[in-house]
Amino acid sequence: MTQIDDHPLRYALVNELHARPFPALRAPCVAAYVAVKQPQEAQNRNRAEDMAHVLALLDRNGSSHPQPNATHFSGTIGRAELKWESHTEFVTYSAFSEGLPARPFDPDEMEVFPEDWLAEAPGVRLASVLVRVEVLGDEAALLAKLDQWFVAESLAVARVVDGAAVIAGDFRIDPAGHMRFAVFVKPDTGARRIGRIVQRLCEVETYRAMSMLGLMRARGLTGKLNALDPQLSELVSGLDSNARPAEENLHELLRISAELESLAVQHSFRFGATGAYEAIVNQRIAALREERVAGRQSFGEFMMRRYDPAMRTVKSAEARLVSMAERATRAAELLRTRVDVERSAQNQKLLESMDKRADLALRLQHTVEGLSVVAISYYAVSLAAYAAYPVTEALHISKGMATAVLTPLVVLGVWLALRRIKREMR
């Protein structure tokens, strides 16, 4: 085959399809799961701190290390199998151990992650889950265990993946600080299938918690929008009123628009992430292919009643923010147009006033020209009289007669001279 150069990312793109494999688990077993997230700007965190934290756990158990810049790793810590994954905003640790403790959901199962090591985590705990995997037996005995382990009011139970297993959980945090899920699998269920079921339960809880962060942000945003909405409505309703100058309304409207844009920038990432996490939660539940057990509510029904309203609240707050920003933009354009029209009218009046001033100046100029003829003629007659004095004296003409004869001639000459100068200037 003719040699051809590969794209630099060809192998990386193919390997990404096989990244983060599901664990292979055999019943009975337990899973301890922890998700850690930095409180603020987690997407921009220093991922070297995450790597250093998992290396500290591996070094305690003398385990091998992941590759530099790895985003997932599987290895052994003591008698448990560890799975570590780094995501956009959080890091997850899963530990799977064979066998079952005598006490269901014993908090000691979480001791696979030492308390002092957890305290040094670069972030805070977002999710903490204990999963108990048993072999499926009699349905009556199964329901009795569920009634004993979980809160009946919020218990969700479903038969999943073509009847291979029954899953249950109440989505409540127990006194030890962990959320509990129970998985009952048929004896012939494969290890990979059990691993996929456990992994999806942990993911449902993690992505549910991540998406609910958007609800908290939406509630805070709603309070701010409630304060801005009356101000915006008042400005919009007063667009056709002259109670306040249009420029003052425009400045106030621009202030509200700037505040809305700032809120949009602050919340855009969280709302976008919430939509993505919600889609993952729904996809993970759909992948379980639930069937009802003994008339109990399924995970999908639980989410529809408890989770979906929260997501609709987030979407409503996001849509309201966008709508208010658009209203403010449209109102600002209308006000800006009104201000431009008013300024055009003012400029028109200013031009009319300038025309009047120019007309007055022209009239004054004509008046001044007449006075100038008189003044220049006065001095010109005096000079002409002095110049003609020797001639008039030789002709025995009196000074008064000479002045009387020269005056109209000089005035006519001055007037003609000024008119010629004015015509040349034009």
Side-chain angles (χ1 to χ4, degrees), residues 384-404:
Y386 282 114
Y389 181 73
V391 177
T392 57
E393 185 178 6
L395 297 175
H396 302 287
I397 298 173
S398 65
K399 183 177 181 181
M401 180 60 70
T403 303

Side-chain angles (χ1 to χ4, degrees), residues 19-84:
R20 309 176 191 273
F22 289 104
L25 305 178
R26 297 189 180 278
C29 64
V30 294
Y33 175 89
V34 176
V36 176
K37 176 187 178 299
Q38 291 190 3
Q40 302 293 333
E41 298 294 329
Q43 69 276 13
N44 297 322
R45 69 187 184 278
N46 183 4
R47 297 177 185 270
E49 296 179 355
D50 298 336
M51 180 64 73
H53 190 236
V54 70
L55 291 181
L57 178 62
L58 295 173
D59 289 342
R60 288 191 180 202
N61 296 273
S63 303
S64 60
H65 288 186
Q67 295 293 326
N69 301 321
T71 57
H72 60 92
F73 172 77
S74 296
T76 303
I77 52 172
R79 56 182 294 270
E81 291 293 325
L82 173 70
K83 182 179 181 182
W84 170 79

Side-chain angles (χ1 to χ4, degrees), residues 136 138-161 165-171 180-184 197 201 285 288-303 305:
L136 180 62
D138 180 67
E139 184 173 304
L142 179 149
L143 294 177
K145 289 181 179 180
L146 298 184
D147 292 336
Q148 180 183 359
W149 294 345
F150 301 105
V151 177
E153 189 272 333
S154 57
L155 174 62
V157 186
R159 199 179 307 276
V160 297
V161 289
V166 174
I167 60 174
D170 58 6
F171 292 94
R180 301 174 175 183
F181 290 105
V183 179
F184 300 88
I197 294 172
L201 285 175
I285 293 177
L288 292 172
R289 304 191 297 279
E290 294 182 291
E291 299 174 9
R292 190 181 299 276
V293 175
R296 305 294 182 93
Q297 69 175 344
S298 65
F299 278 63
E301 291 172 334
F302 178 90
M303 291 296 179
R305 293 181 55 238

Side-chain angles (χ1 to χ4, degrees), residues 223-365:
K224 296 178 182 179
L225 294 182
N226 289 340
L228 291 174
D229 201 0
Q231 303 177 33
L232 179 59
S233 299
E234 181 181 358
L235 286 172
V236 172
S237 61
L239 287 178
D240 57 349
S241 173
N242 295 321
R244 291 178 58 187
E247 290 192 5
E248 291 186 12
N249 288 335
L250 181 59
H251 290 314
E252 182 68 15
L253 196 54
L254 290 177
R255 180 191 66 80
I256 294 176
S257 296
E259 190 166 352
L260 289 172
E261 288 298 327
S262 176
L263 291 174
V265 170
Q266 296 173 19
H267 294 79
S268 60
F269 177 83
R270 178 50 52 205
F271 286 162
T274 295
Y277 294 139
E278 179 195 7
I280 294 176
V281 170
N282 293 330
Q283 188 272 336
R284 295 295 189 269
I285 293 177
L288 292 172
R289 304 191 297 279
E290 294 182 291
E291 299 174 9
R292 190 181 299 276
V293 175
R296 305 294 182 93
Q297 69 175 344
S298 65
F299 278 63
E301 291 172 334
F302 178 90
M303 291 296 179
M304 182 178 64
R305 293 181 55 238
R306 312 293 180 89
Y307 176 72
D308 289 352
M311 296 299 98
R312 287 195 293 270
T313 299
V314 175
K315 294 174 183 177
S316 174
E318 182 180 12
R320 185 183 179 190
L321 175 60
V322 172
S323 175
M324 288 183 62
E326 291 176 350
R327 285 169 51 200
T329 300
R330 290 194 300 268
E333 291 176 354
L334 291 174
L335 265 179
R336 193 176 292 110
T337 302
R338 180 179 174 183
V339 170
D340 291 340
V341 170
E342 291 182 355
R343 287 179 178 175
S344 298
Q346 293 175 357
N347 292 338
Q348 184 66 29
K349 292 180 180 179
L350 180 61
L351 290 175
E352 292 176 356
S353 175
M354 293 176 63
D355 286 341
K356 292 180 180 179
R357 290 196 185 97
D359 185 60
L360 290 174
L362 182 60
R363 293 181 183 180
L364 180 60
Q365 180 182 355

